[in-house]
Amino acid sequence: MKLQVHPLYKLIAQGEHQQQDFKFCINDSRKIAKSLVAFANTDGGRLLIGVKDNGNIAGVRTDEEYYMIEAAANLYSSPKIQFETNTWEIEGKIVLEVSVGPSIDKPHYAESDDKKWLAYIRKDDENILANQVLLKSWKLARNKIGLFFEYNKPRKVLIDYLSEHQQITLSKFVKVAGIKRFEAENILAEFLFMDCIYGIFQTQPVYYSLNESFELEQLTNNKKIVI
C-alpha cells in the first residue's frame, strides 16, 4: 500500500523559488509587504509562514500572523494587495499559506522602514527593486490609448547595437546613442512593453537583450507605429 504524502510536504519539497517563499515567522509587516508586492508585480506566488529556510516546520499562531499579513497588504502596500489564506495542520503545528495572484494594477509599492514607497519584482527566490525602466513600461501597459512612437535614430541605434552585441545597459545606451538618461529610459521602456527586448533584472546594472521571437520587421518596415 502506497503511503500518501501530505500536500504541504510536497510544497515544501519545491524549496523557495519565484512563486514560493518560506517565512519562519512575521515580526515586521513592512517586510512581508515587500514579498506580497513582489509576487503581485510578477507572476503571483505563495508565502508559507511557519516554515524555516531549510524547510523545517516551526508553526505559527495563525490569528497574530493573519493580522500582520492584513496590515502588510492593506496598510503597507499601495495599491492594496488582494490575498487568500489557507491553514495547514501538520506535526501538531500550523503553517499559514498566503497566496497572491499576479496583479493587473501593477506597479504595487511597499512602504520601507524610512517611509519610502518602493516597487519590487520576484526573480528566482529573491525580491528585487524595480528600476525606472520597468516602472515606465508598466505605466505604458496601463495606458488605454496605446503606444505611438517614431522609429528614429536612437531607437535604430539600440536595435543595431543589440543585434551585434547581445546586451546593453542603460548607461551604455545613453553613451552610444548620445541622448539624455530619461530619453533612454523611455525608449527601453517602450521596447520592454512591446516585448521587443527583455531585462535581466537580477544583475546590477540591469542588462537588456533582444527578444529573439520578436519580429524586428515590425519596427524597420514602419516609420511610425501604434500599438
Side-chain angles (χ1 to χ4, degrees), residues 4-15:
Q4 293 294 319
V5 179
H6 194 286
L8 180 60
Y9 286 140
K10 292 182 179 180
L11 294 180
I12 293 174
Q14 296 175 17

Side-chain angles (χ1 to χ4, degrees), residues 42-174:
T42 315
D43 302 319
R46 75 176 72 87
L47 291 175
L48 295 179
I49 303 169
V51 178
K52 297 181 180 180
D53 289 343
N54 60 9
N56 289 340
I57 296 173
V60 293
R61 294 187 293 272
T62 54
D63 287 345
E64 293 180 17
E65 307 291 334
Y66 180 85
Y67 291 137
M68 295 194 77
I69 288 290
E70 196 171 46
N74 296 330
L75 300 179
Y76 300 116
S77 301
S78 181
K80 296 179 180 180
I81 302 290
Q82 301 297 319
F83 68 93
E84 296 180 354
T85 61
N86 182 38
T87 55
W88 299 97
E89 188 168 355
I90 190 169
E91 300 177 10
K93 302 170 184 175
I94 293 178
V95 171
L96 179 62
E97 178 184 348
V98 180
S99 299
V100 175
S103 176
I104 61 174
D105 295 324
K106 62 186 178 185
H108 289 267
Y109 296 84
E111 187 182 42
S112 64
D113 290 336
D114 55 0
K115 306 297 183 181
K116 293 180 180 179
W117 290 90
L118 304 172
Y120 296 89
I121 57 173
R122 183 80 175 173
K123 287 296 179 181
D124 298 326
D125 60 350
E126 294 184 273
N127 300 324
I128 299 173
L129 189 66
N131 66 2
Q132 284 299 313
V133 171
L134 188 54
L135 291 173
K136 288 181 177 183
S137 73
W138 285 338
K139 184 177 180 180
L140 287 172
R142 296 179 65 179
N143 183 0
K144 296 181 181 180
I145 298 176
L147 171 64
F148 176 83
F149 74 91
E150 183 178 359
Y151 187 58
N152 57 10
K153 184 178 178 181
R155 292 171 174 85
K156 185 177 186 302
V157 167
L158 176 61
I159 296 302
D160 289 346
Y161 186 92
L162 286 177
S163 297
E164 183 177 351
H165 296 89
Q166 296 186 326
Q167 294 182 331
I168 196 169
T169 63
L170 172 62
S171 297
K172 186 66 175 181
F173 180 34
V174 168

